[in-house]
Amino acid sequence: MSETLTPTTATAALGLRTIIDAPGLLWLDLDDPMSKSLDELGERYGFHELAIEDCRHGIQPAKIDYYNGYNFIIINTTHYTDHPCEMTLREIDVFIGPDYIVTVHFGASAAVLDVEHRIVSGAKTLSHPDEVLHSVIDTVVDRYLPTLDSVGDTIDRVEDDLLIHPDVALLETIFDLKRGMLQFRRAVASQRELLNVLIRDSSPLIRNEMHIYFRDVYDHAVRAMDLVETYRDLMGGALDIYLTQMANRTNEIVKALTILATIMLPLTLVTGYYGMNFEYFPLLKDPNGIWYVTAGLLAIVVSMLGYFKYKKWI
């Protein structure tokens, strides 16, 4: 279920874009960290080579690094699909300075596009880099809850299927969910710690009046974390349901075979008794002997089934 996105040639990169260019705020967005544009930005603003390297290599936990004159922030984003059942993790890298902010990511970012759409439509007005940072993180964290709702719907469906017809495919889905939720938990936990740092950030790049807004996002991250723990417990319960159903099915099979073997035991004894090669034998010369013996065998079967039913064994 879980997977991380890495750069691919199939990603349609638009390159470096200017989203906001106003007095006191320049927002640049780059959707191809492998391009030379990132190197040019690094030379222009003095970005450290380690921060540029972080932009280009893999998926990393959310964090904040402090450099001279700017901060480097990694934000984790998530996406869930139930067909197939998998969790996709991506990241948005942010360089924030006194009057600029640069967002870097592989391919299109739904969070950046959403904030950009609200700016274009007039629904949001941003005038400082920390406001852009808050808007992006807030959009990312707000998407956690719909993702968890989708996971919850999948868990409900799996639990219903387990009660009706448990099979190996459902077990694979449960393990996929557990792996994906573990990775999702790591992303949310690191994001929560990042927000905890931003709430207490004393650098001039994050103004004091913005701390309350980051605290609100922090509360959403904590709520998402609580839901993650709840769903992990539900998946553990779903696994228990599967194991219980399998055990019950095995018990039913063993019980059926035991009843059959118990019924066959006296029948085998009787037929074995009459199969002995003696010259003189009860009912051996009787023309209706076969019917008497057959009736006796049927009586044994009926009486045993009646006894099992009386004892509620069947």
Side-chain angles (χ1 to χ4, degrees), residues 201-267:
D201 193 298
S202 59
S203 68
L205 301 179
I206 305 296
R207 296 171 297 170
N208 292 332
E209 57 265 30
M210 290 300 299
H211 290 170
I212 189 172
Y213 294 99
F214 285 110
R215 186 177 298 114
D216 178 68
V217 182
Y218 175 83
D219 293 338
H220 293 172
V222 170
R223 199 169 99 192
M225 196 69 179
D226 292 339
L227 282 176
V228 169
E229 297 299 332
T230 300
Y231 288 152
R232 290 185 67 191
D233 292 340
L234 288 177
M235 284 184 289
L239 181 60
D240 292 339
I241 291 174
Y242 175 83
L243 297 176
T244 301
Q245 290 289 82
M246 291 295 100
N248 290 339
R249 178 180 294 182
T250 301
N251 291 338
E252 290 297 324
I253 294 174
V254 172
K255 182 172 72 173
L257 294 176
T258 302
I259 291 175
L260 179 61
T262 304
I263 292 175
M264 291 300 297
L265 180 62
L267 304 185

Side-chain angles (χ1 to χ4, degrees), residues 271-290:
T271 55
Y273 179 76
Y274 275 91
M276 294 186 294
N277 295 320
F278 290 113
E279 184 176 354
Y280 299 102
F281 214 82
L283 303 177
L284 186 62
K285 303 299 182 179
D286 193 324
N288 294 320
I290 182 64

Side-chain angles (χ1 to χ4, degrees), residues 38-49:
L38 183 57
D39 296 319
E40 295 172 355
L41 289 172
E43 294 178 0
R44 175 180 175 183
Y45 293 107
F47 297 155
H48 198 280
E49 60 181 356

Side-chain angles (χ1 to χ4, degrees), residues 139-156:
T139 303
V140 169
V141 174
D142 284 345
R143 291 177 181 272
Y144 286 167
L145 297 181
T147 298
L148 291 171
D149 289 340
S150 300
V151 172
D153 293 339
T154 302
I155 295 175
D156 291 339

Side-chain angles (χ1 to χ4, degrees), residues 27 88 103 131 133 146 174 201 237 261 268 270:
W27 180 9
T88 303
T103 51
E131 295 178 1
L133 176 63
I174 293 174
D201 193 298
T268 304
V270 173

